[in-house]
Amino acid sequence: RLPDNVTFEEGALIEPLSVGIHACKRAGVTLGSKVFVSGSGPIGLVNVLVAKMMGAAAVVITDLSASRLQKAKEVGADFTIQVKNETPQEVASKVESLLGCMPEITVECTGVQACIQAGIYATRSGGTLVLVGLGSEMVTVPIVNAAVREVDIRGIFRYCNTWPVAIALLASKRINVKPLVTHRFPLEKALEAFETTKRGEGVKVMLKCDPTDYSP
């Protein structure tokens, strides 16, 4: 049950928020952490929100889309990198340059092979890489690089026991998920809403229904 001060729109975002909570807990984000988030889609953005709330000192995020990176800045990312034709090693070098050091935590939210590779190269020795994005079942990664530098690679599958935490964070206003909603459509324009999502124009696209319009 949602508290009275949590809107239905915020409630609809508890599911992706829960993914960010679980990922950051698995990663061990804490006060002063330097964090690299790969991918600034909805899941990447909630990881930025949660990492900053948990005390991360600096968060750098990457993506192909300039508009999504702008949204990442709005929700608290300290640095952004628009990836074009860089190699994974070059992306890792840019991350280190912006943070002033290699991050101890990387949260990979795309599932793309090159991004997973960049995550391994970017994470400092003894650090943690959490794989959130789901892509191809088989990927090629520099596993020896991770092994000899003792980079812990952890997976997550969505979330576990995070709902009460997510609701409490929204109710206490410790986290603001409202900026994630970029488009709102009435139920009658559901097709337009899905097409907007398909074109990648929004971050979170909401279908809103006024119950009074459908009361018996």
Side-chain angles (χ1 to χ4, degrees):
R1 183 177 181 87
L2 294 178
D4 291 340
N5 68 334
V6 176
T7 66
F8 287 131
E9 190 169 277
E10 291 174 306
L13 293 169
I14 288 175
E15 194 275 344
L17 177 59
S18 286
V19 177
I21 293 169
H22 189 45
C24 287
K25 287 176 68 176
R26 287 276 287 159
V29 178
T30 188
L31 293 173
S33 296
K34 302 289 183 66
V35 181
F36 167 32
V37 177
S38 178
S40 61
I43 298 303
L45 296 180
V46 293
N47 272 283
V48 172
L49 285 169
V50 175
K52 295 294 285 188
M53 187 277 303
M54 293 177 71
V59 177
V60 59
I61 189 168
T62 56
D63 202 89
L64 300 172
S65 167
S67 61
R68 289 199 167 192
L69 290 173
Q70 178 57 42
K71 179 62 68 174
K73 290 286 285 186
E74 290 176 22
V75 302
D78 298 282
F79 307 104
T80 63
I81 299 172
Q82 185 175 8
V83 178
K84 295 179 181 177
N85 299 312
E86 295 89 346
T87 66
Q89 293 95 328
E90 288 171 338
V91 172
S93 179
K94 287 188 174 184
V95 170
E96 180 179 3
S97 177
L98 286 172
L99 290 176
C101 63
M102 298 174 76
E104 57 258 54
I105 292 167
T106 296
V107 184
E108 207 298 300
C109 301
T110 72
V112 175
Q113 177 174 284
C115 297
I116 298 172
Q117 293 171 351
I120 290 175
Y121 289 129
T123 308
R124 81 175 188 191
S125 298
T128 301
L129 166 64
V130 175
L131 301 178
V132 182
L134 297 178
S136 301
E137 181 180 1
M138 301 295 291
V139 297
T140 300
V141 296
I143 196 66
V144 173
N145 180 286
V148 299
R149 296 192 303 107
E150 299 188 3
V151 173
D152 289 342
I153 300 176
R154 301 179 182 178
I156 73 162
F157 186 70
R158 305 301 182 243
Y159 37 77
C160 183
N161 304 320
T162 53
W163 297 90
V165 175
I167 293 172
L169 289 174
L170 292 175
S172 65
K173 307 305 177 186
R174 293 291 304 280
I175 277 186
N176 179 19
V177 294
K178 294 177 182 178
L180 301 184
V181 182
T182 54
H183 295 74
R184 296 171 177 84
F185 292 90
L187 192 59
E188 297 77 23
K189 295 186 177 181
L191 182 58
E192 185 178 346
F194 281 107
E195 288 296 330
T196 299
T197 301
K198 182 180 179 180
R199 291 192 298 268
E201 293 179 6
V203 177
K204 273 296 182 181
V205 178
M206 285 282 181
L207 276 172
K208 305 197 74 173
C209 172
D210 184 349
T212 61
D213 292 340
Y214 302 93
S215 57

